[in-house]
Amino acid sequence: MTRQRGALFPYIIWIALFVIAPIALVVYYSMLDLSGNFTLANYKSFFTPVYLKMTLTSFWYAFLITLFTLIIAYPTAYLLTKTKHKQLWLMLIIIPSWINLLLKTYAFIGIFGLYGPINAFIEIFGLEPKQILFTDFSFIFVSVYIFIPFMIIPIFNSLDKLNPTLIYAARDLGASGFTTFRRVIFPLTIDGVKSGIQVTFIPALSLFMITRLIAGNQVITLGTAIEQQFLVSQNWGMGSTIAVFLILSMVLIMFLTGQKKGGRVR
C-alpha cells in the first residue's frame, strides 16, 4: 500500500504544478482590476450582452465544427475498418496532423485567396473571383479539416473492436441496414463518438489563431477575446475571467460526454 502511494506521488506533484496551480492562478487574476485591486467587476462584466453573445457564438461555431466533423469522420472510420490495409490508411489520415498548425493555416490562406487555385479554377468557367477568406465557410471548413483526424481515431478504435457476430445476428433476425446501425453499431460505438466530440468541441471553443487568420474579424469567439484582453487591451483580469468560464464550459462538456463502461444494445 505504501509502495502504491509512493508511485502516485510524482503524478500528484505533476497535477498540482501543471493543472491545479495554473487554474488557481487564472482564478486569482480574474478577481483583479487594472490596478491590481481585488474586485468582482470582471465577473459582472462577463454577464453583459456583449460577452454573453460572444459565448453563444463560440458554442454555436464549436457545435457546427463538431457536427460536420462527426458527419465526415464516422463514415470514413467505418469504411477504414472494411479496407484491407486499414492501419496504413489510418496512418495516412493522421500524418497531416503532424504538420504545424500555423503552416496549414497559411496554406489555406493561399488556397482560398483571390489568386489561389480555387479562384483560378472558377475563372476557367468565366466567373469572377470570389473572396472565400474571412467568411464563416472558410473558418468552419479549415477547422473541420484540422479536427477530422482527432475525431476519426476514437471512432475507428470503437468500430474496429466491434464484434462482427452481433451485426450478423441482427441481419439474421431481419434487421435492415439502418436498423442495424441505429440499434447495434452506433450504441456500441457511442464511447468513441463521445471521445471524438470531446477532442473536437473543447478545442473548438478556444480557437483563436484560425479565427484570426482565416475568418479575420468576422468571427469573434472566446479564444480571440482572451487573446485580445491579454495581448491588446492588457486587461489580464478580464481575460482570466473569460478563461475561467471557458474552463467551466470544458468541464461541463467532459461531464456530459463522459464515458460509461459497457454499452447496451437496445
Side-chain angles (χ1 to χ4, degrees), residues 100-229:
N100 184 273
L101 179 59
L102 184 61
L103 292 178
K104 289 189 287 188
T105 304
Y106 273 109
F108 275 105
I109 292 177
I111 293 172
F112 288 148
L114 285 174
Y115 303 101
I118 292 181
N119 275 310
F121 179 76
I122 291 175
E123 289 180 342
I124 295 176
F125 299 95
L127 301 175
E128 292 292 329
K130 303 291 183 181
Q131 180 57 275
I132 306 175
L133 279 176
F134 313 129
T135 61
D136 290 356
F137 168 79
S138 61
F139 171 62
I140 294 175
F141 183 92
V142 175
S143 300
V144 169
Y145 166 79
I146 289 171
F147 286 122
I148 275 179
F150 305 104
M151 180 73 80
I152 287 178
I153 293 172
I155 295 176
F156 172 85
N157 290 332
S158 295
L159 287 168
D160 198 40
K161 295 176 182 177
L162 186 63
N163 189 345
T165 58
L166 296 175
I167 301 176
Y168 300 148
R171 294 291 178 85
D172 290 340
L173 292 172
S176 63
F178 177 75
T179 302
T180 302
F181 171 78
R182 183 171 63 88
R183 293 197 173 186
V184 180
I185 299 175
F186 190 76
L188 292 177
T189 57
I190 191 65
D191 285 344
V193 174
K194 289 180 178 180
S195 297
I197 290 174
Q198 282 186 5
V199 298
T200 302
F201 191 92
I202 292 176
L205 272 179
S206 55
L207 288 174
F208 69 92
M209 183 172 64
I210 299 174
T211 309
R212 288 292 189 191
L213 296 177
I214 300 297
N217 293 322
Q218 304 300 316
V219 177
I220 303 296
T221 62
L222 292 176
T224 53
I226 293 172
E227 179 201 23
Q228 184 175 9
Q229 292 293 339

Side-chain angles (χ1 to χ4, degrees), residues 61-83:
Y61 280 111
F63 169 76
L64 290 178
I65 292 169
T66 305
L67 177 63
F68 289 125
T69 304
L70 178 60
I71 290 174
I72 297 172
Y74 200 103
T76 303
Y78 181 79
L79 291 175
L80 282 176
T81 60
K82 303 300 180 182
T83 57

Side-chain angles (χ1 to χ4, degrees), residues 225-240:
I226 293 172
E227 179 201 23
Q228 184 175 9
Q229 292 293 339
F230 274 96
L231 301 181
V232 180
S233 302
Q234 295 293 311
N235 189 347
W236 287 28
M238 194 63 222
S240 298

